[in-house]
């Protein structure tokens, strides 16, 4: 251990630790522990998409609010900037949405794509709605559309081999950039 003043944390010298140095990089993602500890089925008493609008925007990662729908960052994103567009109303499927909700979800999706292009220089998007648990919806009781930014160079082996996604930015930083760039 190196000697440090009282107000600093001691850092161990890696040269004296057990193990053999190798060519692997280590990806430390402690924020994922909340997701891992929740297990395969995240138990929720309240719908997270009904709860989010009741709180301050930064606290719940909301980047924009409309009349019938709002936009927030996905807490467990596929890529940095992964947005969700949700109606305020608690409905499960797209066919239950009113024409006003459909129009605003579409408009917010278009704006989200423009903003993500501006702040992250992405090359494309995956857009989609998983309707029902059987279709892969993590929150199947509340309709939400995914906007996943993609880059030509973002394909790698992490998701395939290690079920891991390398995210280059923290959620708070992404939320601030997207919310700041969102047209008023």
């Amino acid at each position: 251990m190196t000697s440090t003043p009282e107000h600093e944390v001691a850092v161990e010298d890696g040269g004296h630790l057990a193990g053999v140095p190798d060519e692997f990089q280590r990806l430390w993602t402690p924020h994922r522990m909340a997701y891992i500890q929740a297990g395969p089925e995240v138990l929720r008493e309240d719908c997270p998409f009904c709860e989010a609008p009741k709180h301050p925007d930064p606290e719940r990662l909301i980047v924009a609010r409309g009349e019938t729908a709002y936009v927030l960052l996905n807490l467990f994103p596929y890529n940095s900037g992964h947005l969700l567009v949700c109606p305020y109303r608690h409905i499960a499927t797209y066919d239950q949405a009113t024409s006003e909700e459909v129009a605003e979800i579409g408009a917010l999706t278009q704006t989200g794509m423009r903003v993500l292009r501006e702040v992250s220089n992405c090359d494309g998007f995956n857009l989609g709605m998983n309707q029902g648990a059987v279709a892969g919806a993590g929150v199947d009781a509340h309709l939400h559309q995914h906007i996943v930014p993609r880059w030509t160079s973002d394909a790698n082996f992490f998701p395939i081999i290690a079920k891991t996604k390398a995210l280059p930015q923290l959620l708070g930083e992404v939320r601030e950039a997207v919310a700041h760039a969102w047209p008023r």
Side-chain angles (χ1 to χ4, degrees):
M1 291 266 245
T2 58
S3 176
T4 59
E6 274 186 46
H7 66 280
E8 293 182 25
V9 175
V11 178
E12 294 193 39
D13 177 1
H16 301 291
L17 298 175
V20 177
D22 57 33
E23 71 277 3
F24 292 103
Q25 296 289 322
R26 298 327 191 252
L27 179 64
W28 302 100
T29 58
H31 61 280
R32 301 266 312 152
M33 190 51 73
Y35 182 72
I36 292 166
Q37 289 176 335
E41 282 293 319
V42 178
L43 300 175
R44 296 180 180 98
E45 289 183 22
D46 299 316
C47 172
F49 299 138
C50 288
E51 276 299 306
K54 299 175 186 175
H55 299 270
D57 290 358
E59 181 183 306
R60 296 302 168 105
L61 303 173
I62 295 172
V63 297
R65 293 176 184 253
E67 295 295 317
T68 64
Y70 69 100
V71 182
L72 73 163
L73 285 174
N74 189 331
L75 183 58
F76 304 110
Y78 183 76
N79 274 344
S80 291
H82 181 166
L83 299 175
L84 301 173
V85 183
C86 305
Y88 291 111
R89 213 163 52 93
H90 187 83
I91 55 173
T93 58
Y94 194 61
D95 59 327
Q96 295 172 333
T98 66
S99 56
E100 292 80 15
E101 288 167 331
V102 168
E104 188 162 45
I105 289 168
L108 289 170
T109 298
Q110 288 181 321
T111 301
M113 293 169 67
R114 291 180 190 116
V115 169
L116 288 172
R117 263 195 218 99
E118 178 186 330
V119 301
S120 70
N121 297 313
C122 56
D123 301 309
F125 298 92
N126 290 116
L127 300 178
M129 294 183 186
N130 301 324
Q131 312 244 324
V134 70
V139 180
D140 63 344
H142 197 124
L143 178 68
H144 56 285
Q145 175 156 279
H146 295 260
I147 307 172
V148 181
R150 300 300 303 265
W151 295 265
T152 302
S153 61
D154 77 352
N156 63 51
F157 62 90
F158 276 176
I160 297 164
I161 294 174
K163 291 192 174 190
T164 301
K165 227 14 205 158
L167 301 168
Q169 289 181 290
L170 297 175
L171 287 171
E173 293 172 359
V174 176
R175 188 231 159 251
E176 185 63 31
V178 173
H180 179 70
W182 202 274
R184 303 288 175 231

